[in-house]
Amino acid sequence: MHQFKKGIWRVSGGGKLTTKILLVKGGLDGHDRGIQIVTKALRDSGFDVIYGGLYCSPEEIAAITIQENVDVVGISTHSGNHLGIFSETIKILKEKTNTHWPIIGGGIIPANDIPALEKMGVDKIYLPSTNITEIVEFIKGLKLMKRKKESQQKTIERILKGEVFAAASLMSLVEQGDNNAKKIISKLPDLSPQTIVVGITGFGGVGKSTLINKLIEHFRKDRKTVGVIACDPVSVSRGAVMGDRIRMKDHAQDEGVFIRSIVQRQNFKGVTPTTPSIIKILGAMKKDIIIVETAGAGQENSGFKDLVKVLVWVSVPGLGDKIQMLKGGGIETANIIVVNQSDKAASYLTFQDLKEHFENTKKICKTNSLTGEGISELVKAIKVV
Amino acid sequence: MPKKYTPGKPGEFPFTRGTRSLGYQDPKKKFWTMRMFSGFGSAENTNERFKKLLSEGETGLSTAFDMPTLLGLDSDDPRAKWDIGKGGVAVCTLEDMEVLFKDIPLDKVTTSMTINAPAAVLLAMYIAVAEKKGISKNQIGGTIQNDILKEYIAQKEWIFPPLPSVRLIVDTIEYCSEFVPRWNTVSISGYHIREAGATAVQELAFTLADGIAYVEACIKRGLRIDDFASRLSFFFDFHNNFFEEIAKLRAARYLWAHIIKERFGAQNTRSMMCRMHVQTAGCTLTHQQPLNNIVRVAIQALGAVLGNTQSLHTNSYDEELCLPSEEAVIIALRTQQIIAHETGIANVPDPLGGSPYIEGLTKKLIEDARDYIKKIDDMGGMIKAIEKGFPQKEIRDSAWLDKKFQDDKTKIVVGANKFNDTSEEESCGNFEIDPQAQTRQLERLKAFKARKNSKLVKESLLEIKIAAMENKNLMPYLIEAVKNNVTLGEICTSLKKVFGEYQEVAN
């Protein structure tokens, strides 16, 4: 793991820090050969990469930057939109946080435009054929953002007002094991009884993030505010790629939605040891619904249920041997079981199997997370638990 | 497919040695179509570039649209804001299309349009513009790229999910087979697959597997193979490994001919011809010492001709930095003209045929591509393979390896990772898009929307939606709609409501 001597949020008593980088394609651009290579290279060098996906507008880039409280923003563009995308992103970040965020860029960018980009606050532009180690070394050497210290009381007030930047910054401090942050967390109010904390678990690839995207849509129509904690596993290199966000992109700009990606380095009930604190911060921001997504399912998730009020176990038809499926992932602790991808022919059989097996002990729902079919039924079931 | 590799003769099945017996000396069409991919700013800017290129000896047009157009968004859509006219030309309305082809004889010049997800709409506009000029749809000739599968695989510019997208493609194929007989309905593209990092064999195999998926979809619709296959065309990259690339083009013709004949039972030999457009490899160019790119492009273009392409785009030396400047694009065109008129390379058909090295490489690529295609068949075809992320992953792995070899200098890139100590940087990459283009485009669109008949627009959109839901061929409805001044964005928004939208898959 890379450790930096200087860095934001690095306060005495802080734990280990991995630099968090957001990588996005800016504007309407699909050329992703470069960004995919950089994503992998940075992960392999031990960084945490949040992959924000294709077609990100400056508003979306800024929103993700702030919510995830990343250390570096990397924007790739090959469509000639760079001047507009970079200047607008920097402008919005400045407006919302009054801070200069380290920004790097890459793609097809005329040499003549580079001085203008640097002047507007871009730290470095990488043209094609850049040696990857150059990028890695640059990020390692980058002076990370310094933040003004403020009193605990002030931070608490800002979080209670729902300020995204304050909440996101505190989450980072929590992730670093900062002692001051622990004190702040202990002073935050407990979750209101009305807050619904929903856990979403299930094996990888069953469509958990896409389902959450539809749940958010539904809750927002209902005028409920939503917080999401999306958990991804760490790779062998100790770096991680967090890509769940791209499936929830419809809500990137919605001020009523806060999405935070976390990396599971030590397994704690299927999530991370910091998850309870992050839930508490989201609760203090008065999010009506808090959704926690696990990094995947397994026996070790059995404690996950303690963290949430409602546990939803997501499965898909044809996942293999029925018994095998029922054994793993703490399905027995779930309140609701979802058969996702209801458009698949086998979904009826899976649905019937599960109904038979659990009889009336659990609610079984069928959903299609692409079309949104069955989501209102699922929401109803969540509210009833 | 036969066990033994037999290249055949030029102009004869399986067309390994070219589709014409006289090669580039065919009196019906000498040489190849010199088709330079162009588009930027507003329709006026691109129209001017088209005319300039034609006056300099270009023999076919090729249109680059901007990103909003490729994604079916009008220029006034908030998401379009930073990309209007940047990577290509903005076209949202029939009026834009008319300006784009102003004073260009559409019955004499063929036009290629690099457009995929909304290709049917742009084709509808092109037909409508031709008709306004008094040219009927059976006289026009050209190509729409219309190859959505490689978008999911490589270029990542999509609108709808795979199934309705392929249905739209089959609609265009069905419609053109009957009414626009000179139109190449799909340009099945390996170019983007290769540029995304694929190897030669991956480019070859995935492209042909995409082609198989389209043919299967057409047959499922009830079309007869010989009624549409002759209008399917291909688009390949020409990369740096000279002989392997030549062999790739030959292998593509061999494989496609056998696939169409044996797998799909075609009778007409024209159906079996893999006719192709080739573009030199953009990803081999360097921003360092950019004049070196002229040499790279010349060598690649030479290879494409030796590989018997029907049509060729040569990249401009400044493309690693910006859109091609006029000066650079003329040099690129001149490169083709020098090969055609000065070198004598085009004097005999397939001069390399019979060389043990070339034939051996061709055979090897055929075998390797066949294995890949078999793997994709076993997955249930290309659409299933894409859903599994198979071609995407294969390409990503190749791209990663290629990058690794460049970084550790196993692979030499002259001027970039070796021989790169030239202190003086050449001045290029100065091309600036007309700063007024965006305003002009937005103003024209605003005026267009203000004066159109909104009742007619609503009716057209409703008809499109119903036809989409009832699985009718959408082409007549789209042509009617663009004539009624419905915009590209309005049509795509309506279709999204029926078809849904495709979401990026993270791997």
Side-chain angles (χ1 to χ4, degrees), chain A residues 197-212 227-234 241-245 247-248 260-273 275 279 290-308 310-315 328-331 333-334:
Chain A
V197 185
V198 188
I200 306 277
T201 188
F203 295 116
V206 294
K208 296 191 289 286
S209 304
T210 322
L211 187 71
I212 292 172
V228 178
I229 304 170
C231 186
D232 278 292
V234 72
V241 176
M242 293 168 269
D244 292 334
R245 283 198 78 105
R247 298 195 184 83
M248 306 174 200
R260 179 77 173 201
S261 311
I262 55 174
V263 183
Q264 190 187 49
R265 290 206 159 70
Q266 318 150 250
N267 191 353
F268 172 81
K269 302 182 179 185
V271 281
T272 70
T275 305
I279 293 176
I290 299 168
I291 300 175
V292 187
E293 180 187 356
T294 63
Q299 293 290 4
E300 71 277 15
N301 287 13
S302 47
F304 186 45
K305 181 70 173 72
D306 314 341
L307 298 178
V308 299
V310 185
L311 181 59
V312 179
W313 205 91
V314 186
S315 90
I331 193 170
T333 59

Side-chain angles (χ1 to χ4, degrees), chain B residues 167-185:
Chain B
R167 169 252 169 109
L168 259 179
I169 293 168
V170 178
D171 281 359
T172 56
I173 295 174
E174 185 179 42
Y175 183 83
C176 290
S177 324
E178 194 171 346
F179 302 107
V180 202
R182 290 181 58 215
W183 200 265
N184 295 314
T185 47

Side-chain angles (χ1 to χ4, degrees), chain A residues 27-33 36-37 40-41 44 51 53-55 58-59 79-81 84-85 88 108-112 127-133 243 246-247 250, chain B residues 67-68 71 73 79-80 82-83 86-87 154-158 194-197 283 287-288 319-322 396 399-400 402-403 406-407 416 429-430 503-506:
Chain A
L28 303 179
D29 184 16
H31 297 89
D32 65 352
R33 176 176 179 170
Q36 291 205 18
I37 286 174
K40 180 169 153 52
D44 290 353
Y51 177 62
L54 308 175
Y55 313 141
E59 290 80 3
S79 68
N81 59 20
I85 294 289
E88 188 70 9
I108 300 283
I109 292 167
N112 288 354
L127 297 179
S129 79
T130 302
N131 195 310
I132 290 287
T133 46
I246 62 167
R247 298 195 184 83
D250 300 351
Chain B
M67 296 300 304
L71 297 170
L73 304 172
R79 279 163 294 176
W82 310 102
D83 287 278
K86 290 283 199 255
Q155 188 166 243
K156 321 272 167 96
E157 285 148 19
W158 49 62
R194 189 63 178 280
E195 291 287 305
C283 65
H287 63 88
Q288 303 94 333
E319 279 186 63
E320 199 65 6
L321 287 157
C322 62
R396 212 166 41 235
W400 174 256
D402 184 68
K403 179 68 188 148
Q406 281 188 45
D407 281 358
N430 300 333
Q503 300 290 341
E504 183 182 3
V505 185

Side-chain angles (χ1 to χ4, degrees), chain A residues 339-350:
Chain A
V339 182
N340 197 16
Q341 302 177 5
S342 60
D343 53 322
K344 280 199 180 161
S347 72
Y348 181 75
L349 280 180
T350 313

Side-chain angles (χ1 to χ4, degrees), chain A residues 210-228:
Chain A
T210 322
L211 187 71
I212 292 172
N213 184 46
K214 286 290 172 195
L215 281 173
I216 302 172
E217 192 182 307
H218 198 99
F219 285 125
R220 291 302 290 148
K221 275 190 194 145
D222 223 11
R223 293 167 186 253
K224 301 275 189 242
T225 54
V226 185
V228 178

Side-chain angles (χ1 to χ4, degrees), chain B residues 136-190:
Chain B
S136 77
K137 46 184 181 280
N138 58 20
Q139 286 173 280
I140 56 171
T143 309
I144 37 175
Q145 198 163 77
N146 207 19
D147 171 10
I148 198 70
L149 293 179
K150 67 93 175 52
E151 294 295 331
Y152 306 119
I153 297 172
Q155 188 166 243
K156 321 272 167 96
E157 285 148 19
W158 49 62
I159 304 177
F160 317 113
L163 287 177
S165 294
V166 171
R167 169 252 169 109
L168 259 179
I169 293 168
V170 178
D171 281 359
T172 56
I173 295 174
E174 185 179 42
Y175 183 83
C176 290
S177 324
E178 194 171 346
F179 302 107
V180 202
R182 290 181 58 215
W183 200 265
N184 295 314
T185 47
V186 191
S187 171
I188 308 162
S189 305

